[in-house]
Amino acid sequence: MVDYIMGSSYADIDLDESPCIIPSCGHILTVESMDGHMEMSKYYVVSSDADAEDPITALKSSSSPFTSEVKNCPMCRKPLRDINRYGRIVRRAWIDEATKKFIVWANAQFVPLAARMGRVETRLRESVGETPTVNSPTSQPAELSAALGSLSLGPLLVAGPRDKQIKIIYKAQSQNHRYRDISLLRTNISRFLHDVDEAEQPISRIRALVEDARKRRGVTTELTDIPSVLQVRNRLLATVLILRCDYAILCDFVTHRGKTASGENLHNFHLNLAVNRQDCEKLVAESQCRRQPAQEVEGLLYWTRFMALERGRSAKLSDVEMNALVDRGRAQLQSARQICNAHRGQTAGMLEEVEEAEKMVREATFYTPVTNDEKAAVYAAMAQDFLGTGHWYHCVNGHPFTVGECGMPMQTARCPQCGAVVGGNNHQPAAGVTRAADFEAEFGRR
């Protein structure tokens, strides 16, 4: 049989009226049957004129992300990857597949980094009373005096870009290894942040290759119809994690280690954390745009924490300016509280952090926040989020999730990222929820 619509065999058809396609597997199907199998109507405008020489009249706009799957021959199940007529459909499925692999990889990389961050913070808190040791062993008093004398006890200013701030602190503490572990972790987080940037994702790399090829051919028109499958969640999570890392280093240094290896306090110690607050503002703005309430709250919290850290140690702000900044911090926390109340499922445990930050501003103090049990549970859930045995779906805003057990939805819930309704009832997905066709085939049953 070569025509699944009419049930015709090869001997029954007229090739002039019903051309056939022979894929690499050798099976024969009519173009009409293969077009139906490949779901051409999802990607092309099809003419209703039965007498049209070619029913395909135009391209449709890009299909929704993760709705494409690599089709197989209906006879032998061999992938149909080498038929030029269906190149657009096959390439879109490849892009979806590569993006799915990226999501799984990014999630698997982030969870251990978040766990390491919690352990490093705990070690910093527990080692508060330890006496720093000089790294270079000097047996003679004169040599020891010279080593300690080389450390600057003059005014110390921690300012500028965040990388520069951290380097200043590392240099001031170069005689002991207190920040060795968190320094290695920060390097790993920075590398991960680079790797999950939109420019490094499959669709961006493909677009860059296409644009380069078009330029070589003298094509000047811009690409406008690009499938929107770029993933931003892990970049936002990594941005929060590196802010958390920087705050932990600054807070520890100011609180306990604003001194040299000899234990002598660094007087005239000042901070200018304007860049830190600007980075928090960028995080808040993008998280709001991307409908990521948890990361929006994190940005507001760390804005306030950096403000509290600079309070009383500012190298630039007058008392009046600092008071205005404190008032703004109170407003930031009020916004964070409103977001937590509006998105309780996505911001589990964060209301406690808002309350602690309000107390910090009220009492003019600061501290390193402790990861609460609810947030730890969220990270633990993330570790299993893409390792389920069920089916993969996307909420109305494109965020992926899995349904366990039989893989069919039996109850509704809220998307942990944006709060949209997910799941469904009686094996029927909720409105707006779509099946990520071959996602679970590639990853969900590992």
Side-chain angles (χ1 to χ4, degrees):
M1 184 182 296
V2 298
D3 190 331
Y4 289 94
I5 298 175
M6 302 301 296
S8 304
S9 66
Y10 183 72
D12 298 330
I13 65 170
D14 182 348
L15 291 179
D16 291 330
E17 295 182 359
S18 301
C20 290
I21 290 178
I22 306 176
S24 58
C25 62
H27 293 106
I28 305 174
L29 291 95
T30 62
V31 170
E32 189 176 9
S33 292
M34 188 67 86
D35 285 355
H37 179 64
M38 297 297 290
E39 299 181 293
M40 291 283 276
S41 60
K42 287 175 57 177
Y43 306 90
Y44 298 92
V45 178
V46 179
S47 172
S48 59
D49 184 2
D51 297 327
E53 182 176 350
D54 190 341
I56 298 174
T57 59
L59 288 171
K60 283 188 176 179
S61 59
S62 297
S63 59
S64 300
F66 311 122
T67 58
S68 304
E69 57 181 311
V70 178
K71 297 289 187 177
N72 301 317
C73 172
M75 302 293 291
C76 65
R77 311 306 299 168
K78 184 176 180 179
L80 298 172
R81 297 174 179 258
D82 55 357
I83 304 175
N84 290 338
R85 181 178 178 85
Y86 309 113
R88 177 182 173 88
I89 298 173
V90 170
R91 285 190 289 271
R92 177 55 199 265
W94 283 348
I95 291 172
D96 282 355
E97 187 174 325
T99 302
K100 294 164 191 174
K101 290 181 179 179
F102 172 83
I103 294 172
V104 173
W105 170 85
N107 191 69
Q109 295 294 312
F110 171 78
V111 173
L113 290 174
R116 280 178 61 191
M117 186 68 235
R119 292 194 295 270
V120 167
E121 286 176 330
T122 300
R123 283 197 293 270
L124 285 177
R125 283 191 296 269
E126 292 177 349
S127 61
V128 167
E130 294 180 5
T131 302
T133 56
V134 178
N135 187 33
S136 55
T138 53
S139 57
Q140 299 298 325
E143 294 174 349
L144 179 61
S145 176
L148 296 178
S150 66
L151 297 170
S152 174
L153 300 180
L156 179 69
L157 173 63
V158 177
R162 284 159 50 205
D163 287 345
K164 181 181 178 182
Q165 296 173 19
I166 301 304
K167 287 179 181 178
I168 292 172
I169 293 175
Y170 289 166
K171 184 177 180 180
Q173 291 291 305
S174 60
Q175 300 298 313
N176 67 71
H177 299 299
R178 180 170 181 79
Y179 299 124
R180 180 178 57 188
D181 290 344
I182 199 168
S183 173
L184 292 173
L185 175 59
R186 190 178 190 275
T187 299
N188 291 337
I189 297 172
S190 298
R191 186 179 300 118
F192 175 70
L193 186 58
H194 171 269
D195 290 343
V196 296
D197 187 78
E198 285 86 333
E200 299 298 317
Q201 295 184 30
I203 182 63
S204 296
R205 293 191 173 192
I206 292 171
R207 180 174 184 171
L209 290 172
V210 172
E211 287 179 338
D212 182 67
R214 288 163 65 91
K215 287 179 181 178
R216 291 176 183 272
R217 296 177 181 179
V219 180
T220 58
T221 56
E222 294 185 3
L223 290 172
T224 57
D225 192 21
I226 300 298
S228 180
V229 296
L230 288 173
Q231 303 298 307
V232 299
R233 184 191 181 205
N234 278 284
R235 179 173 58 77
L236 295 177
L237 288 170
T239 300
V240 171
L241 199 58
I242 202 165
L243 284 170
R244 176 179 169 186
C245 187
D246 290 352
Y247 178 78
I249 294 171
L250 285 163
C251 185
D252 179 85
F253 183 69
V254 172
T255 306
H256 308 296
R257 298 289 163 161
K259 54 181 68 175
T260 66
S262 65
E264 190 164 358
N265 287 325
L266 283 168
H267 301 292
N268 300 321
F269 177 60
H270 298 293
L271 299 172
N272 182 351
L273 305 183
V275 172
N276 308 56
R277 294 192 300 274
Q278 290 171 6
D279 290 342
C280 292
E281 291 167 5
K282 292 177 183 177
L283 172 63
V284 169
E286 183 169 13
S287 298
Q288 189 175 34
C289 178
R290 302 288 188 176
R291 299 179 182 177
Q292 301 283 342
Q295 282 68 59
E296 186 178 355
V297 172
E298 293 276 21
L300 294 169
L301 283 170
Y302 277 103
W303 191 99
T304 306
R305 288 166 181 158
F306 284 122
M307 179 276 296
L309 199 59
E310 187 175 353
R311 193 176 184 180
R313 299 166 191 82
S314 179
K316 182 180 179 181
L317 301 176
S318 65
D319 290 343
V320 174
E321 292 172 324
M322 180 53 71
N323 288 336
L325 211 60
V326 171
D327 290 338
R328 186 178 172 189
R330 293 191 180 98
Q332 301 277 46
L333 293 177
Q334 182 61 30
S335 297
R337 178 180 287 276
Q338 292 173 356
I339 296 170
C340 288
N341 289 330
H343 303 276
R344 294 184 181 275
Q346 297 84 341
T347 59
M350 300 187 74
L351 192 57
E352 289 181 25
E353 295 187 40
V354 173
E355 292 171 352
E356 290 172 354
E358 289 173 339
K359 180 180 179 182
M360 180 176 64
V361 172
R362 187 167 57 250
E363 297 179 359
T365 186
F366 56 89
Y367 55 86
T368 303
V370 179
T371 301
N372 56 54
D373 293 338
E374 290 180 277
K375 186 176 287 187
V378 170
Y379 289 146
M382 285 181 64
Q384 300 298 322
D385 196 24
F386 298 105
L387 298 177
T389 58
H391 291 308
W392 289 67
Y393 296 84
H394 280 85
C395 76
V396 67
N397 293 315
H399 301 135
F401 67 94
T402 58
V403 175
E405 303 297 337
C406 69
M408 303 301 288
M410 288 298 292
Q411 63 183 24
T412 58
R414 292 286 176 179
C415 173
Q417 297 186 55
C418 67
V421 176
V422 297
N425 292 295
N426 299 321
H427 290 181
Q428 295 298 318
V433 172
T434 56
R435 176 86 171 268
D438 62 335
F439 215 151
E440 68 276 6
E442 183 70 24
F443 308 109
R445 294 185 174 90
R446 289 186 175 181

